[in-house]
Amino acid sequence: MGMSIYEIDDAIMSLVDMETGEIEDEKRFDELKMERSKKIEDTGCYYKSLVAEAKAMKEEEANLARRRKAVENKAERIKNLLVYALNGDKFESPRVRCSYRKAKSVQVDDSFVAWAREHAGDLLTFKEPVPNRTAIKAALEDGREIEHAEIVTNERLQVK
């Protein structure tokens, strides 16, 4: 098995005289440089392959989600057809049984939230505030000073 990039770098450094900076074995140095270039190229290609595979998986997930949703919608339509056909009656055969069970749920109208804010706040839930990074960035770029926020420039490797 070949050497890792780290091992190649260590081998290259071992060929350099630290006092003079001269290369002790130029042939081996050139071989290691070529091996390092090949290793980096192979690693970059492997990265691209993984990104492409992940993208294909994501697209397939989206396709399966659309198909699942279509099947769920179809099942719901068939269930509504059964509800219409049974009209509250039970049905049973050797292959299927249709019956009803009681379920309780809460239904509120459009005015409930306004009422609850004044009279019963404990009946409401509130999401935690989340920073709107797009708006913060735009405000900072417009020159607005905002405490605890700054625009930071990062370098990202692109492999294509």
Side-chain angles (χ1 to χ4, degrees), residues 7-25:
E7 293 168 334
I8 294 170
D9 286 345
D10 288 344
I12 288 172
M13 291 306 295
S14 71
L15 294 176
V16 177
D17 184 336
M18 291 301 164
E19 290 181 18
T20 64
E22 292 183 20
I23 299 169
E24 295 172 355
D25 183 353

